Amino acid sequence: MSAFSYPEAIVAGLVQGISELFPVSSLGHGVLLPALVGGKWAQDMNMTTPNSPYLDILVAAHVGTAIALVVFFWNDWVRIIGGLFTSIRYRRIETNDQRLAWLLVIGTIPVGIAGVLLDKVVQEDLGKPVPAAIFLTINGAILFAVERIQRNRVEDEAFMQALRRPDGSDDDTMLITAVSATDRTEPMSSVTDTMAVDAKLARLGWGEAIGIGAAQILALLPGISRSGSTIVAGLMRGLRHDEAARFAFLLATPVIAAAGVFKLPDLFHPEMKGSLGPAVVCMIVAGVAAYISVRFLTSYFETRTLNPFGIYCLVAGIGCLAYFTVVR
């Protein structure tokens, strides 16, 4: 088995760190980009090749991405995990943090089970350029379709709100009140924007959390985005873009971390000795790229939509499909 080069590791880290969180599919790009470059890159970065170091390199990239997410959401995870432990200790679910913690737990279960059962089978059978291009195109079409549905829904809600309230203003009183009412240790003056969003997320039903979490299963298909499918599921259940994105990133953190940690021992197999250095570089690059990506996206989704990513996926997917089926 040939050693993975440092340039390959840097590119793999950038692709994973950026496309894992952008709704454009890291697995799809991990399949398509090396195939487009060709040569040694296509051979080394082919996940369907027996004993390929590429899958082990991707393990390192997942670990770096997970670390970046934990660092970015550190204060939030401290609150949420604290809520989980107090809920277990006192055997009740009362505060927003406690309920959100359990929503994230049950939302992670479906993809965890599917990942164990289907991950290797899907990658070996579908981790090829043509299927990845097809699924990337489908991913773009889904993003577009949901944004069209969302736009119509927003227009209908705005019309109904105007009928009820002529000034058309939004009232956040109920949301802020919900934060303080469910967590009586939190003074109103310390309620943050993220806590207000978490109060909205905590009102999701158990079935809704499972449904949104289960959408991550689609990301096992190369070309279908984990964050995109989760955000779409959140939008379809009435969340705003920033709320759906936040829930998607929180849900993704334990899943990505588990995927990396579960396979981490593979990095220390004797046959990985020549690629261990590039794997470390890949992890660092992926972590930095993921941190910058999540910082950008949390701000982006406060005011913008999935449409640009839908356009990109459609163009890239159709272009790659034409290249690998007609040109090549």
Side-chain angles (χ1 to χ4, degrees):
M1 176 171 50
S2 62
F4 215 73
S5 70
Y6 282 97
E8 289 171 333
I10 292 172
V11 171
L14 284 172
V15 170
Q16 165 65 25
I18 295 173
S19 58
E20 179 70 47
L21 302 178
F22 278 71
V24 296
S25 177
S26 62
L27 191 53
H29 281 73
V31 172
L32 292 170
L33 287 180
L36 289 171
V37 174
K40 184 177 182 297
W41 284 58
Q43 180 181 351
D44 290 349
M45 302 174 74
N46 185 347
M47 63 183 62
T48 63
T49 301
N51 300 321
S52 170
Y54 188 35
L55 289 177
D56 296 320
I57 292 291
L58 289 181
V59 170
H62 275 80
V63 172
T65 302
I67 292 173
L69 287 172
V70 170
V71 170
F72 185 82
F73 291 110
W74 177 257
N75 292 331
D76 303 308
W77 278 117
V78 169
R79 283 192 300 104
I80 292 168
I81 293 175
L84 179 63
F85 282 125
T86 58
S87 176
I88 295 173
R89 179 180 179 182
Y90 298 111
R91 298 181 181 179
R92 59 175 181 257
I93 303 175
E94 291 184 340
T95 70
N96 288 323
D97 292 338
Q98 290 172 343
R99 184 172 174 83
L100 181 57
W102 284 110
L103 289 172
L104 291 172
V105 169
I106 67 170
T108 303
I109 292 174
V111 70
I113 296 174
V116 172
L117 297 177
L118 303 174
D119 184 42
K120 184 172 290 187
V121 174
V122 171
Q123 288 186 11
E124 289 179 354
D125 294 341
L126 298 177
K128 301 173 183 177
V130 171
I134 292 173
F135 286 124
L136 187 63
T137 304
I138 293 173
N139 187 74
I142 291 173
L143 299 183
F144 258 129
V146 169
E147 281 298 345
R148 182 59 182 258
I149 295 172
Q150 185 73 3
R151 186 179 67 179
N152 293 338
R153 177 186 296 169
V154 169
E155 291 175 352
D156 291 342
E157 289 178 354
F159 176 74
M160 294 303 296
Q161 186 180 42
L163 292 179
R164 292 193 301 269
R165 305 177 61 194
D167 61 355
S169 61
D170 292 327
D171 186 1
D172 292 332
T173 304
M174 292 298 293
L175 183 61
I176 300 301
T177 302
V179 176
S180 59
T182 55
D183 190 350
R184 302 189 185 281
T185 63
E186 197 70 49
M188 284 294 293
S189 59
S190 65
V191 173
T192 64
D193 291 339
T194 56
M195 291 171 65
V197 172
D198 286 352
K200 173 75 174 292
L201 296 177
R203 286 189 270 175
L204 289 169
W206 302 113
E208 290 177 314
I210 292 175
I212 295 174
Q216 297 181 95
I217 296 174
L218 295 174
L220 294 174
L221 302 172
I224 302 296
S225 165
R226 181 193 310 279
S227 62
S229 59
T230 316
I231 292 172
V232 162
L235 291 175
M236 295 302 292
R237 282 159 178 80
L239 297 178
R240 298 196 313 256
H241 286 82
D242 58 328
E243 297 164 347
R246 177 173 173 79
F247 196 54
F249 296 146
L250 290 175
L251 273 172
T253 304
V255 176
I256 297 173
V261 172
F262 181 71
K263 298 180 180 179
L264 194 60
D266 294 345
L267 293 175
F268 301 98
H269 287 170
E271 58 268 25
M272 275 297 293
K273 184 177 180 180
S275 297
L276 191 56
V280 173
V281 170
C282 179
M283 180 176 66
I284 295 172
V285 171
V288 173
Y291 186 88
I292 295 172
S293 296
V294 72
R295 187 183 181 99
F296 168 79
L297 289 171
T298 50
S299 175
Y300 173 90
F301 282 119
E302 290 179 357
T303 57
R304 299 187 182 183
T305 71
L306 294 166
N307 282 329
F309 307 111
I311 294 173
Y312 168 78
C313 289
L314 281 172
V315 172
I318 294 172
C320 287
L321 185 60
Y323 177 77
F324 289 113
T325 57
V326 179
V327 178
R328 192 168 174 174

